[in-house]
Amino acid sequence: MEEHLLIIGCKRAESWARKKLYERYAPVMLSVCMRYVHDRETARDLLQDGFIKVFTKVDTYTGQGSFEGWIRRIFVTTALEYLRAKDAVRMSVSLEDYQETDGNWNVNVLDKLSADELMECIGRLPKGYRTVFNLFAIEGYSHQEIADMLGINVVTSRTQFIRARNLLQKSVQSLLEQEYARGK
């Protein structure tokens, strides 16, 4: 019920509701922004831009689906617009470069990493790879939806995801080897 009151208050442009909504969702949405830009200052700028959009578009929220999901979509779109303006998601990949994963990816190694360590590994991916990885693996978009959002073809989306996964696998493996060498 409290969320419903916040939505009503935001639709009426009441400052108490906007403040409360910001306080509730800012930490989560900052994390969303950081996943795409991996630069705290830029992520903070995107956070502000995203909340401006939330407050100006709150009247379009129909109550269908979760409100947090609706907000998240605005923030993902805001981050993608920023990356598109910086031409960070425009990727050219030839089919000859397409490689499948080597199949040795052991999901159990992820149990040995903290969430922060894993997010750091994801953050080190090149922008284009990181963007597609976030959209597919974390946000749950299909490759067709990603292709439509980024203005790329479906094969490029799949290729970027596989490359991101391969780089992430190498990064995680390297991190685990470093921790093992230190005796952790």
Side-chain angles (χ1 to χ4, degrees), residues 28-38 43 46-47 75 79:
V28 174
M29 296 308 139
L30 181 60
S31 295
V32 169
C33 295
M34 283 292 295
R35 281 200 311 267
Y36 288 92
V37 296
H38 203 62
L46 292 175
L47 183 72
F75 278 88

Side-chain angles (χ1 to χ4, degrees), residues 95-184:
L95 290 176
E96 296 83 46
D97 292 338
Y98 182 80
Q99 295 176 345
E100 284 290 337
T101 183
D102 61 11
N104 291 332
W105 181 238
N106 182 353
V107 178
N108 293 332
V109 300
L110 296 178
D111 294 337
K112 299 176 184 173
L113 291 178
S114 71
D116 288 340
E117 289 170 321
L118 183 57
M119 291 310 292
E120 182 60 34
C121 289
I122 292 170
R124 286 195 296 258
L125 292 170
K127 285 181 184 176
Y129 291 5
R130 183 174 63 236
T131 301
V132 172
F133 184 86
N134 282 326
L135 289 169
F136 184 78
I138 297 175
E139 304 295 341
Y141 290 102
S142 71
H143 286 296
Q144 182 62 59
E145 291 171 317
I146 294 168
D148 293 344
M149 283 189 270
L150 301 181
I152 59 177
N153 66 48
V154 174
V155 172
T156 301
S157 177
R158 287 189 181 115
T159 301
Q160 296 301 317
F161 175 73
I162 289 170
R163 287 182 174 184
R165 188 176 60 188
N166 288 341
L167 284 174
L168 184 58
Q169 177 181 355
K170 289 176 185 172
S171 182
V172 166
Q173 189 62 41
S174 175
L175 184 63
L176 290 174
E177 288 170 0
Q178 289 172 7
E179 287 184 12
Y180 180 77
R182 287 189 300 232
K184 289 188 174 184

Side-chain angles (χ1 to χ4, degrees), residues 2-14 16-17 58:
E2 183 181 324
E3 185 175 87
H4 179 70
L5 294 175
L6 281 178
I7 295 167
I8 291 171
C10 286
K11 286 183 177 187
R12 293 179 183 162
E14 295 178 10
W16 68 266
V58 73

